[in-house]
Amino acid sequence: SQQGEEDPQALSIQEGENATMNCSYKTSINNLQWYRQNSGRGLVHLILIRSNEREKHSGRLRVTLDTSKKSSSLLITASRAADTASYFCATDRRDDKIIFGKGTRLHILP
Amino acid sequence: GAVVSQHPSRVICKSGTSVKIECRSLDFQATTMFWYRQFPKQSLMLMATSNEGSKATYEQGVEKDKFLINHASLTLSTLTVTSAHPEDSSFYICSAREVRGKWYGYTFGSGTRLTVV
């Protein structure tokens, strides 16, 4: 399969709680990116983490990368209703292809 | 920042007709562009890599005669869905790769929703 795996596939949490999504991949990478996609819309780039970085923050987002385990996590703190969307990790592979994981559908409950 | 314009955003066509989708890098040159396909509630699947001035490289299982890709200039790649069928209905997204010296980045278009009736 050309895709990585993400878990959970779907996640529902109460507004204000933290949401954690995980991503695993198979091949060596240059960097890993996380994107958000609202239903039926295009992609919004959230954050990029390079293969030599272990953690990165951007506002309420925190991304970790463990290249030894070939995995990454995205944490959204203090979730809001507007965070409801699908979240995808995308690996920038050594063959210059961007390959997407299967995604996590996040639903923030009011 | 870098902008990629994808057009049209939505298109409805009849079975058997062909549809062309354009992907333009507006403020940078893109020697490489990528085409993805996304079915409802699924992820983006890479269809092909488009290189300026050469033939596209298709992923396994993607019919190159059905999905024609042309990358004739450094700012434009087109995807033509030929003899479209209802099962080709999907969301198609392009991405352009910008290279500046040792730095490079990817910018995605806003997608095209194709409905074949």
Coordinates of all heavy atoms in Angstrom, one line a residue, chain A residues 34-73:
Chain A
W34 N 1.3 17.6 8.3 CA -0.1 17.3 8.7 C -1.0 18.4 7.9 O -0.7 19.6 7.8 CB -0.3 17.5 10.2 CG 0.2 16.3 10.9 CD1 1.5 16.1 11.4 CD2 -0.5 15.1 11.3 NE1 1.6 14.9 12.0 CE2 0.3 14.2 12.0 CE3 -1.9 14.7 11.1 CZ2 -0.1 13.0 12.5 CZ3 -2.3 13.5 11.6 CH2 -1.4 12.6 12.3
Y35 N -2.1 17.9 7.4 CA -3.1 18.7 6.7 C -4.5 18.5 7.4 O -4.8 17.5 7.9 CB -3.2 18.3 5.3 CG -2.0 18.7 4.4 CD1 -0.9 17.8 4.4 CD2 -2.0 19.9 3.7 CE1 0.2 18.2 3.6 CE2 -0.8 20.2 2.9 CZ 0.2 19.3 2.9 OH 1.3 19.6 2.1
R36 N -5.3 19.6 7.2 CA -6.7 19.5 7.6 C -7.5 19.6 6.4 O -7.2 20.4 5.4 CB -7.0 20.6 8.6 CG -8.5 20.5 9.1 CD -8.8 21.7 10.1 NE -9.0 22.9 9.3 CZ -8.5 24.1 9.7 NH1 -7.7 24.2 10.8 NH2 -8.7 25.1 9.0
Q37 N -8.6 18.9 6.3 CA -9.6 19.0 5.2 C -11.0 19.1 5.8 O -11.4 18.1 6.4 CB -9.4 17.9 4.3 CG -10.3 18.0 3.0 CD -10.2 16.8 2.1 OE1 -10.1 15.7 2.5 NE2 -10.2 17.1 0.8
N38 N -11.6 20.2 5.5 CA -13.1 20.3 5.9 C -13.9 19.5 4.8 O -13.4 19.4 3.7 CB -13.5 21.7 6.0 CG -12.9 22.4 7.2 OD1 -11.8 22.9 7.2 ND2 -13.6 22.4 8.3
S39 N -15.0 19.1 5.2 CA -15.8 18.2 4.3 C -16.0 18.8 2.9 O -16.5 19.9 2.7 CB -17.2 17.9 4.9 OG -17.9 17.1 4.1
G40 N -15.5 18.1 1.9 CA -15.7 18.5 0.5 C -14.8 19.6 0.1 O -15.0 20.2 -1.0
R41 N -13.9 20.0 0.9 CA -13.0 21.2 0.6 C -11.6 20.7 0.3 O -11.2 19.6 0.4 CB -13.1 22.2 1.7 CG -14.4 22.6 2.2 CD -15.2 23.4 1.1 NE -14.6 24.7 1.0 CZ -14.9 25.7 1.7 NH1 -15.8 25.6 2.7 NH2 -14.4 26.9 1.5
G42 N -10.7 21.7 0.0 CA -9.3 21.5 -0.3 C -8.6 21.3 1.0 O -9.1 21.2 2.1
L43 N -7.3 21.1 0.9 CA -6.4 20.8 2.0 C -5.9 22.1 2.6 O -5.5 23.1 1.9 CB -5.2 20.0 1.6 CG -5.5 18.6 1.0 CD1 -4.3 18.0 0.4 CD2 -6.0 17.7 2.1
V44 N -5.7 22.1 3.9 CA -5.1 23.3 4.6 C -3.8 22.7 5.3 O -3.9 21.8 6.1 CB -6.0 23.9 5.7 CG1 -5.3 24.9 6.5 CG2 -7.3 24.4 5.0
H45 N -2.7 23.3 4.9 CA -1.4 22.8 5.5 C -1.4 23.3 7.0 O -1.6 24.5 7.3 CB -0.2 23.4 4.7 CG 1.1 22.9 5.2 ND1 1.9 23.7 6.0 CD2 1.7 21.8 5.1 CE1 3.0 23.1 6.3 NE2 2.9 21.9 5.8
L46 N -1.1 22.4 7.9 CA -1.0 22.7 9.3 C 0.4 22.9 9.8 O 0.8 23.9 10.4 CB -1.7 21.7 10.1 CG -3.2 21.5 9.9 CD1 -3.7 20.3 10.8 CD2 -4.0 22.8 10.2
I47 N 1.2 21.9 9.6 CA 2.6 21.9 10.1 C 3.5 21.0 9.4 O 3.0 19.9 8.9 CB 2.5 21.7 11.7 CG1 3.7 22.1 12.4 CG2 2.1 20.2 11.9 CD1 3.6 22.1 13.9
L48 N 4.7 21.3 9.3 CA 5.7 20.4 8.8 C 6.8 20.1 9.8 O 7.2 21.0 10.5 CB 6.3 21.1 7.5 CG 7.5 20.3 6.8 CD1 7.4 20.7 5.3 CD2 8.8 20.6 7.3
I49 N 7.2 18.9 9.9 CA 8.3 18.5 10.8 C 9.3 17.7 10.0 O 9.0 16.8 9.2 CB 7.8 17.7 12.0 CG1 8.9 17.4 13.0 CG2 7.1 16.4 11.6 CD1 8.4 16.9 14.4
R50 N 10.6 18.1 10.1 CA 11.6 17.5 9.3 C 12.1 16.2 10.0 O 11.9 16.0 11.2 CB 12.8 18.5 9.2 CG 12.3 19.8 8.5 CD 13.5 20.6 8.0 NE 13.0 21.9 7.4 CZ 12.4 22.0 6.3 NH1 12.3 20.9 5.5 NH2 12.0 23.2 5.8
S51 N 12.7 15.4 9.2 CA 13.1 14.1 9.7 C 14.1 14.2 10.9 O 14.3 13.2 11.6 CB 13.7 13.2 8.6 OG 14.9 13.9 8.0
N52 N 14.8 15.3 11.0 CA 15.8 15.5 12.1 C 15.2 16.2 13.3 O 15.9 16.5 14.2 CB 17.1 16.2 11.6 CG 16.8 17.6 11.1 OD1 15.6 18.0 11.0 ND2 17.8 18.3 10.8
E53 N 13.9 16.5 13.2 CA 13.2 17.1 14.4 C 12.4 16.1 15.1 O 11.9 15.1 14.5 CB 12.3 18.3 13.9 CG 13.1 19.4 13.2 CD 12.2 20.5 12.6 OE1 11.2 20.1 11.9 OE2 12.5 21.7 12.9
R54 N 12.2 16.3 16.4 CA 11.4 15.4 17.2 C 10.1 15.9 17.6 O 9.1 15.2 17.9 CB 12.2 15.0 18.4 CG 13.4 14.1 18.0 CD 13.0 12.8 17.4 NE 14.2 12.1 16.8 CZ 14.4 12.1 15.5 NH1 13.6 12.8 14.7 NH2 15.4 11.5 15.0
E55 N 10.0 17.3 17.7 CA 8.8 17.9 18.2 C 8.7 19.3 17.6 O 9.7 20.0 17.4 CB 8.8 17.9 19.7 CG 7.5 18.4 20.3 CD 7.4 18.2 21.8 OE1 7.8 17.1 22.3 OE2 7.1 19.2 22.5
K56 N 7.5 19.7 17.3 CA 7.3 21.0 16.8 C 5.9 21.5 17.3 O 4.9 20.8 17.4 CB 7.3 21.0 15.3 CG 7.6 22.3 14.7 CD 8.1 22.1 13.2 CE 8.5 23.5 12.6 NZ 9.0 23.3 11.3
H57 N 5.9 22.8 17.5 CA 4.6 23.4 18.0 C 4.2 24.5 17.1 O 5.0 25.2 16.5 CB 4.8 24.1 19.4 CG 5.2 23.1 20.5 ND1 4.3 22.7 21.5 CD2 6.4 22.4 20.7 CE1 5.0 21.8 22.2 NE2 6.2 21.6 21.8
S58 N 2.9 24.7 17.0 CA 2.3 25.8 16.2 C 1.0 26.2 16.8 O 0.0 25.4 16.6 CB 2.2 25.5 14.8 OG 1.6 26.6 14.1
G59 N 0.9 27.2 17.6 CA -0.4 27.6 18.3 C -0.8 26.4 19.2 O -0.1 25.9 20.1
R60 N -2.1 25.9 18.9 CA -2.6 24.8 19.7 C -2.2 23.4 19.2 O -2.7 22.4 19.7 CB -4.1 24.9 19.7 CG -4.7 26.2 20.4 CD -6.2 26.1 20.5 NE -6.8 26.2 19.1 CZ -7.5 25.3 18.6 NH1 -7.8 24.1 19.2 NH2 -8.1 25.4 17.4
L61 N -1.3 23.4 18.2 CA -0.9 22.2 17.6 C 0.5 21.8 18.1 O 1.4 22.6 18.3 CB -0.8 22.3 16.1 CG -2.1 22.8 15.3 CD1 -1.8 22.9 13.8 CD2 -3.2 21.9 15.6
R62 N 0.6 20.5 18.4 CA 1.9 19.9 18.7 C 2.1 18.7 17.9 O 1.3 17.8 18.0 CB 2.0 19.7 20.2 CG 3.2 18.9 20.7 CD 3.3 18.7 22.2 NE 4.3 17.7 22.5 CZ 4.0 16.6 23.1 NH1 2.8 16.2 23.4 NH2 5.0 15.7 23.3
V63 N 3.2 18.6 17.2 CA 3.5 17.4 16.4 C 4.8 16.8 16.9 O 5.7 17.5 17.3 CB 3.7 17.8 15.0 CG1 4.3 16.6 14.2 CG2 2.3 18.2 14.4
T64 N 4.8 15.5 17.0 CA 6.0 14.7 17.3 C 6.3 13.8 16.2 O 5.4 13.4 15.4 CB 5.8 13.9 18.6 OG1 4.8 12.9 18.4 CG2 5.4 14.8 19.8
L65 N 7.6 13.4 16.1 CA 8.0 12.5 15.1 C 9.1 11.6 15.7 O 10.0 12.0 16.3 CB 8.7 13.3 13.9 CG 9.2 12.5 12.8 CD1 8.1 11.7 12.1 CD2 10.0 13.3 11.8
D66 N 8.8 10.3 15.5 CA 9.8 9.3 15.9 C 10.2 8.5 14.7 O 9.4 7.6 14.3 CB 9.1 8.4 17.0 CG 10.1 7.4 17.6 OD1 11.1 7.0 17.0 OD2 9.8 6.9 18.7
T67 N 11.3 8.8 14.1 CA 11.7 8.1 12.9 C 12.1 6.7 13.1 O 12.1 5.9 12.2 CB 12.9 8.9 12.2 OG1 13.9 9.1 13.2 CG2 12.4 10.2 11.7
S68 N 12.5 6.3 14.4 CA 12.9 4.9 14.6 C 11.6 4.1 14.6 O 11.7 2.9 14.2 CB 13.6 4.8 16.0 OG 12.7 5.1 17.1
K69 N 10.5 4.6 15.0 CA 9.3 3.9 15.0 C 8.4 4.2 13.7 O 7.4 3.6 13.5 CB 8.4 4.2 16.2 CG 9.0 3.7 17.5 CD 8.1 4.0 18.7 CE 8.8 3.5 20.0 NZ 7.9 3.9 21.2
K70 N 9.0 5.1 12.9 CA 8.2 5.6 11.7 C 6.8 6.0 12.1 O 5.8 5.5 11.5 CB 8.2 4.5 10.6 CG 9.6 4.2 10.0 CD 9.5 3.3 8.8 CE 10.7 3.3 8.0 NZ 11.9 2.9 8.7
S71 N 6.7 6.9 13.1 CA 5.4 7.3 13.5 C 5.4 8.8 13.9 O 6.5 9.4 14.2 CB 4.9 6.5 14.7 OG 5.7 6.7 15.8
S72 N 4.3 9.4 13.8 CA 4.1 10.8 14.2 C 2.8 11.0 14.9 O 1.8 10.2 14.7 CB 4.1 11.7 12.9 OG 3.8 13.0 13.3
S73 N 2.7 12.0 15.7 CA 1.4 12.3 16.4 C 1.1 13.8 16.2 O 2.0 14.6 16.2 CB 1.4 11.9 17.8 OG 2.3 12.7 18.6

